[in-house]
Amino acid sequence: MKDKILKRFQEVFGEADNAKVYFAPGRVNLIGEHTDYNGGHVFPCALTIGTYGAARKRDDNKLRFYSMNFDKLGVIESSLEELKACKEAGWTNYPKGVLWAFEEKGMRIPCGMDLMLYGNIPNGSGLSSSASVEVLTGFILRDFYGFDVSNQDLALIGQYAENHFNKVNCGIMDQFAIAMGKEGHAIFLDTADLSYTYAPIALKGAKIVIACSNKKRGLGDSKYNERRSECEMALEELRKKTEIKSLGELDEDTFEKFQSAIQDDVRRKRAKHAVYENRRTIRAVEALQKNDIAEFGKLMNASHVSLRDDYEVTGTELDTLVEEAWKTEGVIGSRMTGAGFGGCTVSIVKDEAIDSFIEKIGAAYLAKIGYKADFYVVEIGGGPKVL
Ligand code: GLA
């Protein structure tokens, strides 16, 4: 892969001297959805698929970007003086946002760069291709200039860029899962204080299968920000009755006791999801520690039901994939993953059932939705690295 990337870099930018090749993973969240901006827990893992990048410093202020995934766009030029988000800049808003965020945080970028990317995460699939590009860019800048930032800081800088440059009010999960990824492990992260532990995922006789609905979504034009503000309003209403900083502080019983403080049925459902999903995530990790994969699977299924009925972020495509999976032999658990409104599902499937899972669900999806779903049997990989 490294040679292929460098060869293309040379074709695009004239020479590849002094260029280095890097990799940052994508992520999948096993459980704990729409909890990260509610002070709750998440349980994502980094994947072995992700974004490859080749980069070299320039001796002027120019920025030249090229993506093998958007070959038709050619080389997109900008400069360190032009770090503003704009629609026409397309995918380059992600690396530009990170350059901007470093400067905002007082780390001056002394010169421009040539950056080429190649991603093997399906685009807009909800496996965090954008967070992968953000963490990759931060990792490259640290490698170039020796900035004193940890991998956790790279996650926070990526999120800062996403929130303030690209104006998507995302939580910390994606960038954290990518920057802190560990091979064979999922990350049990408490987003209230960023404390975390690594949990080994040893699925004896089963694998993680991702089904991509091919229904494109972008967080910016989705209802993501709307869900977030519904939760914020519900929190304000609950705070009239109980002193809490976030929905993640409530357990189910306390929520039921105070839920009448929320004036609107829709907001009450949103808050209920955030509270119950957080508790489910804690219980799912406990189940895993006891090697109770069946219970883990049941909690995944319950997570989907809640995202479908209370949080209302699934849609026909994701529901079809998941509901077909539930009917399929050898499926331990299945749910949508990521923001929703399109994107992917994640399922735990017994080894011997994987082929029929792909065939059966693929056919049912095509028949009902009218276009194909794609399936990926994935491995849990590590964080960003130099190749
Ligand atoms: C997106 C966001 C995350 C998280 C998920 C939903 O992936 O970027 O911060 O909120 O949606 O769990």
Side-chain angles (χ1 to χ4, degrees):
M1 184 59 86
K2 189 177 168 184
D3 292 345
K4 184 180 154 196
I5 302 269
L6 281 175
K7 187 166 170 276
R8 190 76 189 117
F9 188 93
Q10 184 167 20
E11 283 163 12
V12 172
F13 292 120
E15 50 166 306
D17 297 354
N18 307 321
K20 281 173 84 173
V21 182
Y22 304 84
F23 173 79
R27 70 95 188 91
V28 67
N29 187 23
L30 298 177
I31 191 162
E33 217 65 82
H34 290 281
T35 47
D36 66 345
Y37 50 85
N38 284 310
H41 292 76
V42 292
F43 195 49
C45 48
L47 298 171
T48 51
I49 52 175
T51 316
Y52 293 85
R56 72 162 172 212
K57 286 184 216 168
R58 298 180 53 88
D59 40 28
D60 55 19
N61 272 350
K62 264 196 198 167
L63 298 167
R64 295 198 296 172
F65 300 109
Y66 170 80
S67 165
M68 287 169 70
N69 301 77
F70 299 103
D71 181 58
K72 283 208 186 84
L73 300 179
V75 174
I76 299 175
E77 291 209 10
S78 185
S79 81
L80 287 174
E81 284 83 42
E82 290 171 57
L83 294 177
K84 284 204 184 69
C86 62
K87 249 198 156 155
E88 305 75 64
W91 69 268
T92 68
N93 280 323
Y94 295 111
K96 278 166 93 175
V98 173
L99 286 155
W100 171 86
F102 268 83
E103 296 258 354
E104 282 289 294
K105 297 198 175 284
M107 289 169 277
R108 213 182 70 78
I109 310 293
C111 52
M113 66 164 155
D114 291 336
L115 175 68
M116 187 191 92
L117 298 185
Y118 167 68
N120 55 5
I121 313 172
N123 245 315
S125 62
L127 301 179
S128 290
S129 51
S130 53
S132 177
V133 171
E134 287 160 355
V135 171
L136 181 84
T137 309
F139 188 83
I140 293 172
L141 293 176
R142 181 175 73 187
D143 189 51
F144 275 5
Y145 305 116
F147 294 127
D148 184 19
V149 285
S150 64
N151 275 27
Q152 185 165 318
D153 295 330
L154 293 181
L156 289 164
I157 293 169
Q159 184 200 19
Y160 188 83
E162 185 86 46
N163 291 167
H164 301 287
F165 192 85
N166 283 304
K167 303 277 189 268
V168 177
N169 227 349
C170 69
I172 189 62
M173 172 171 73
D174 303 346
Q175 289 83 1
F176 199 96
I178 289 165
M180 305 295 285
K182 183 173 174 180
E183 209 170 305
H185 292 72
I187 308 174
F188 182 44
L189 169 68
D190 182 350
T191 62
D193 58 7
L194 298 189
S195 58
Y196 64 95
T197 50
Y198 288 109
I201 304 291
L203 301 169
K204 278 194 207 82
K207 292 201 170 57
I208 300 173
V209 183
I210 290 174
C212 182
S213 69
N214 287 323
K215 182 186 180 200
K216 293 278 182 274
R217 47 152 280 276
L219 282 185
D221 49 49
S222 74
K223 293 194 171 289
Y224 185 90
N225 287 349
E226 183 184 299
R227 290 294 178 281
R228 189 166 177 157
S229 47
E230 285 165 346
C231 286
E232 278 158 11
M233 277 174 80
L235 174 65
E236 277 319 302
E237 292 169 287
L238 286 165
R239 277 158 61 92
K240 293 188 184 127
K241 291 268 182 73
T242 173
E243 273 182 38
I244 47 166
K245 283 199 225 59
S246 71
L247 295 176
E249 286 176 31
L250 296 177
D251 60 19
E252 294 96 331
D253 290 346
T254 342
F255 175 75
E256 294 303 337
K257 191 166 148 207
F258 296 121
Q259 46 95 3
S260 59
I262 305 170
Q263 298 294 309
D264 171 81
D265 289 349
V266 170
R267 281 202 299 278
R268 198 172 311 116
K269 286 205 292 185
R270 307 296 191 241
K272 181 177 178 194
H273 167 78
V275 170
Y276 279 62
E277 177 76 354
N278 180 40
R279 307 312 290 183
R280 259 195 297 275
T281 306
I282 298 169
R283 282 207 297 277
V285 176
E286 283 165 4
L288 200 67
Q289 275 153 0
K290 290 187 206 131
N291 254 321
D292 190 349
I293 307 291
E295 176 65 12
F296 189 88
K298 278 189 202 145
L299 291 162
M300 287 175 77
N301 297 348
S303 164
H304 186 84
V305 171
S306 177
L307 289 156
R308 183 190 66 194
D309 299 344
D310 286 339
Y311 220 61
E312 296 179 283
V313 292
T314 58
T316 325
E317 295 81 2
L318 293 173
D319 287 339
T320 302
L321 288 171
V322 166
E323 286 160 19
E324 287 296 328
W326 290 342
K327 288 191 243 158
T328 304
E329 189 128 345
V331 175
I332 297 166
S334 184
R335 57 182 288 276
M336 60 147 267
T337 185
F341 313 104
C344 291
T345 69
V346 58
S347 308
I348 299 180
V349 188
K350 290 190 179 151
D351 289 339
E352 65 275 13
I354 293 178
D355 288 345
S356 61
F357 173 92
I358 295 175
E359 198 179 313
K360 188 172 159 273
I361 295 164
Y365 186 78
L366 180 63
K368 180 152 181 201
I369 305 297
Y371 51 83
K372 261 173 70 259
D374 290 316
F375 295 85
Y376 305 85
V377 180
V378 295
E379 307 279 340
I380 302 180
K385 59 186 177 196
V386 182
L387 294 187

